Amino acid sequence: MTRNTLVALVAAGFALAAAGCNPFLTGEGLTDDPNNPTTATREALFMGVQANTFGQQESGIALTTCMWMQQCTGGGGRFVEQFGKYVIDETSHSGDFNSVYTGGGLIDIRKIEASAGAAGDAVFLGIAQIYEALVVGSAADYWGDLPYTQALTAAAPTLDNQFAVYDSVQALLSRAIVNLGGAGPGPGARDLVFGGAPAAWIEVAHTMKARYYLHTVEAAGAGLITGRTAAQVYADAVAQATLGISAPANDFAAFHGASTSERNVWFQFSQTTFGTDLVAGKRLVDIMNARTDPRRPQYFGKNALGAYGGDDVNAPQPANTVSAVDGTRNSPTFRQPFVTYAENELILAEAYNRGTPAVDAQALIHLNNERTTVPLAALVGVTGAALFDSIMVEKYVALFQNPEVWSDYRRTCRPILTPFAGASPVFGGKIPGRLYYGSNERNTNPINIPAPSTQLATNGFRNRNDPNPCP
Amino acid sequence: MRISFSRLVLFAIALALTPSRSPAQGPLTLSGRVTTEGGVPIGYAEVVIPTLGLGATTRDDGRYAIVIPGARAAAGNTIAVVARRLGYKPVTAQITLAPGIVEHDFVLAPNPLQLGEVVITGAGTVTEAQKLGSVRNTVDSTVVRNSNESNIVQALAGKAPNVEVTQQSGDPGASSFIRIRGTRTISGSGQPLFVVDGVPLDNSSFSTSNFNLNDDLGAGQTDGTVHENRASDLNPNDIESVEILKGAAAGAIYGARAGQGVILITTKSGRAGPTRFSWRSSLSVDDINHKYPLQTIYGEGISGAAPDTTRGGDCDNPSSGSICSRSWGPALVPGSPVFDHANEAYEAGHVVENDLTISGGNDRTTFYLSAGQYHNNGIFVGDNDAYSRVSVRVRGSQRLADNLKVGANFSFADTRGSFIQRGNNVNGIQLSLLRSPPNFNNLPYLDPTYGLHRTYRFQHPGPGDLVADRGFDNPFFIINEQQNRSKVGRMFGNINAEYVASTWLRVNYTLGADYSNDERLEGCPISSSDVCFAGRVIEGKLVNYQVDHSLTATVNYHVNDNLGGTVTLGQNLNARNFRQLGNVGRTLITSQPFKVSNTVSRDIPSDAQTVVHNAGYFAQATLDLYGQVYLTGALRNDGSSTFGRQNRRSWFPKASLAWTFTKVTGERPWLTFGKYRLAYGEAGQEPQPYLTSTNFLSNTIVSGISQGTGETPTQNGFGGLVQGTVKGADALRPERTKEFETGFDIGLFRDKSDLSVTYYNARTEDVILLTPVSAAGTGFTLQASNSATFRNRGLEMTLNVRPLQRQDYGWDVGFQWARNRSLVMSLGGANYVTIGDFQPNVAMVGQELGVLRSLGFYRCGLSAAGVVPAFDAACAGAPNGALFIDASGFPVADPDPRVIANPNPRWTGSVRSSFRFRKLQFSGFIDIRHGGQIWNGTKGALWSYGTHQETASRGTVRTFGQGGWYDGPVVGPGAGTAVPIGQNWYRDGDAPCPFTLIDEPCIEDGGFVKLRELSVTYTLDAPWVQRSIGVSSIDIRVSGRNLHTWTKYTGYDPETSLGGAIAPVTGIDYFNNPQTRSFVFSFTLNR
């Protein structure tokens, strides 16, 4: 009996183990994550790409450049004000850098493109290519040289020259325009911007081409791009913008719902503890006050005195004179504009004004086209440098909250801004001309991504397309 | 022989409780007293008759009584009787039985090295202390009880060298983080494996805020409330002893789960003999142990200007910005009211604890019953910070046959916590309390005019301002109106059987289960600040279920007196299932109740399950040679569902040698015992589950600006997904620590002293990192891989001295000292891996693990040349590390991050002493941590807010490098320039580290000397006690806990851990709650 019990006990134990050995370690829910899917359709990924892109365009970089451009001013002494005073480091925009490539960014856009291409859905492919162009083009604006040719294919990708990135973006947009003219059901209602309408996307692609041409025009003028003159670039910009966004109704603007994480990111930010740290910038409000700009109640709230006023990073203003960033735009469902009719008209205006030969009459027409939509009274008889100034100042006002303002400033030094006087001497007394590469990228790709101090010491912390010594 | 009344009573009880098995023959009784050489009674000593399977335990007065049924032995028989107690050398006496009562007293000599005592070495294996080849660290029940800690992990603080315990804060129920011989992993929490009576115990921690992915961006443990570590569900009163298996050499028998060490807990059990009753009650009064240094000279405002604080003025407009949020206003008029924000939120907290234990048994049956009730009302005013635990334990065993014993051990705990939010959180108390301007009265927290929540940034809410943002919540609103709850039901236990098949073969079987259900609630009311503004409810549920099966067979062999040993074979199967379900509801429909169903909208639910299965086999053999050399070898093979497909199983070997060299050299008066130890072992840490999967996610928040912002992939009713940022790993193996350990234990000066010294060198390979990968190159940011190698080396010493041991008085002192140095040897590619989730603590090659890599100031030799004008020239010939001062007279922030702080202590130690005079005992315990830097972000933020005491000297002119102001060499055009230090530096300059990210100004030394315990105990066991009260003895104890801390640290307490037992790094302080000190009065009734 004793021996039998022993045998039974031992046998039971080992039988339990032996019988269960492999399934016990590899059964359902053990080796494959039971919590998340491992496949995704292009329709589902496209939703993620749109959300990510809207987030990128409305997020930390837009907030930072709004302050650097003195359209906004930081207060509160915390990270917002610090960013506004150029206190940034390589971690500050590391997440933004990553999101160019990671989930919702390039990795998913490429999957959509591959899937749409394989399915023969040219419209879907074309729309995805426009998202890729916006994401990569914006990244080139912020960081200059960028991993692109080797993106997603190399453990330590090399950087493409910024001009090569812009060239790639132009080529991509050209292909997108062709594809959008092709066949396919497209994303349909899942396209939150235009409901899948190819015609509107074709206009957006042309305006974007014009935008990125302009981003190289100063460099071309300075002889930095082989075989390209400024005149050619302006002509290209005019050619593209002429086919660009034809009406404000066709603006490429975000779509937002009222649910917690579908809301406009600027609005979400205004609801957080840091929201009150961002107020109106005096430089912008002064310009708008001077012309009684009807967009003031869209952009800002009234100050305690019932008027509009902004704060100045170099000369703090009394609290009761400062407006909050709290106009009709500050709504959960506000469709943040990214590429617009206004920008298109002002690109035309600038290109006509600055092109060779200059056609100021055309420039004025396009400036006034934009002013009419505001509405602002048409300008008459303005020409030359004064007209250029009017165009750029109007663009500065019209593109509020859009990082494109920072690109324009770096190209044209308009409007005149006084950099923050107390900034770290590492910036050489200027408004920072680019962002630090992300800390994650430098950590994993130190061969190609230089240290922050080296980035500062290279070309005065400015990108290749930025030869102008704007303060 | 004197027969006392008490002895008669005892005899009567013994008679009454012992089942009479043989009424024909009268029982015999063996009785007596167990004392020390000094005559001090030894309670809880075991007196057993091995041949009869009978025994008893002594009462506190040292008395025992064993009733021997007539059928088992007759008068005239001579039997061996053994008396033993942990810490004393066992004594065996041959006693001849006689009719009636035979008296025999035992005198036990101290056994500082626990020679001859049985040591549990894990997974069903035992050995004797002198045969152990690795260092032994035992904590017994008295030490656990005297710590007055409700959390068994905290009770281990300072109790063994290189066992570092850090409590998250002084909140009731706050978790404690334990680290043994340095950190060896950075995946998971890095906590050791807890095993209770042979069954693994879940000691996980989970912050309720982690249910709220939207507002917290994954940093949940740094805001919200503190959390519990689940081992705190154990009632410390039930614990008999704790063995700490520190290195891989000791822990290898637990294979892939022992990489961070193993804590083996044995609970109390009943013993044959009269039924014992014990009732212990204690009352503790707690208060804040250090008041935060705040200034009370300057009022609300900015740049010396005060805001208009009348109704409708500056401070009724939440977007008014800095003028209302800061205390950089004008000096307050003498005599104007000032409010004591450092003290106003606190009151005396208290703890009430009651424990009842009943235990006993006979030769066939033993039982142990306990019930414990613990309630702690914390130090914040009101009753919303509280923690209570009601626990019951039943343990019994029955000898079914002479060779088969079955047992069961079950416990139930009902644990409830109510917490106050803290940390990086505008709905947390510390942030708003410490930032309150000294001239703002936080009371009443509801505006008397409209009854709405008022705060210093929004002083007069009007009738339409119910849901307007308050900036920061009023601290009293937080204390009184929020609800943060945790409610846990925990069932833990096992059934076991021991079958002695023959004299040489023993088989043990244990089937254990651990189940807990934890219900969480975090509710912030309407009119809270920030993302909580319209009210928010987080409801969550955590279910943890673990089943463990283990079977071992042990063979004893004895060839001759010089050669013998054991062979153990074992098998272990373990299944763990963890489920979490959480919901966040926003915008309360009506103010109460805090239910998700009472909200307007909900976030994507947090819904996850993890299942882990392990199957392990092990064998251990021991060889005892010539009674002085003891060899042990073991091998474990572990399989885990978390290992990659190609590496489904892994081997973990160990080998050790113990040599009692005094057997060869002979005992000397100054060297009574000497043992040399040498051990090597390998232990592992299994990967986190599912790291091998590459997933798409629906709930990742992308591209937010700050906490509380972001987008989900699902938009406008269309489901969306994005690629997860963690790339699946193809193959993962367990992390493997290979540890070599050597040392000696010696008894000195006729056991008046003993010394134990241990050196270890642990190399952890295949450390699993979520290694950063190039986002641009791969589209992912992280991928798990077995990529890193860490090293931990250290030295541990224990010295106990007993200079005086007499009958009436005695004095003993114990010292412990330990150091651990970690080194990151490789990371498999990345320069560094961030392991902090709030601050950039990193693993970085060539550095100690967990150093802070962040921004500092331009310093010669440390910072890059060619960026800042004049820096290069100024540093020519300057000492390395000289601070560069530019023409403005201030330092310049360096854009390149570097290592600026090391949170790891240089060494840790403790001193314990007790002095006994007759029945009065005094004892004290000092815990020391030398070095280890802390990032004091609270100070940095309070500088910016102008409420920190140091900002009271605003406007004072200082010179960098001189007079206690950044002392050290300085260079540069502004060196030696005196500059005013005020708002320009503390708020607008580089000082406020949480906002500037320039962390150098906030680094402080976190070393401390802490008076952990101080107590006086008096034992009343005079005959009148029994006559008048009916108990055998009463212990009365008055003690203090954490009475004083000597430290340079300027925050609440250097013992602070924002992430608690979740984060593998310490040394981060950001508006964490304070620590407490306690005065405890307790009494114990024994019968």
Side-chain angles (χ1 to χ4, degrees), chain A residues 401-415:
Chain A
Q401 294 178 324
N402 191 328
E404 182 61 13
V405 172
W406 182 41
S407 288
D408 285 336
Y409 173 77
R410 288 178 290 168
R411 293 192 301 113
T412 65
C413 313
R414 300 269 190 314

Side-chain angles (χ1 to χ4, degrees), chain A residues 7 71 76 92 133 159 165 185 195 199 249-250 257 276 340 371 381 463:
Chain A
V7 170
Q71 297 176 307
S92 303
L159 303 182
V165 178
N250 286 357
T276 56
T340 58
R371 290 176 64 98
N463 292 329

Side-chain angles (χ1 to χ4, degrees), chain B residues 408-466:
Chain B
N409 182 358
F410 280 94
S411 70
F412 175 76
D414 180 307
T415 305
R416 295 169 191 219
S418 180
F419 306 101
I420 304 289
Q421 293 198 26
R422 90 305 176 223
N424 180 29
N425 174 5
V426 298
N427 310 113
I429 180 154
Q430 296 298 332
L431 195 140
S432 62
L433 180 68
L434 299 178
R435 291 179 182 184
S436 298
N439 58 337
F440 179 76
N441 188 357
N442 278 318
L443 288 169
Y445 65 89
L446 296 179
D447 176 59
T449 311
Y450 297 104
L452 292 179
H453 174 197
R454 65 184 272 279
T455 74
Y456 83 85
R457 297 178 65 172
F458 196 166
Q459 303 192 358
H460 309 91
D465 292 329
L466 181 64

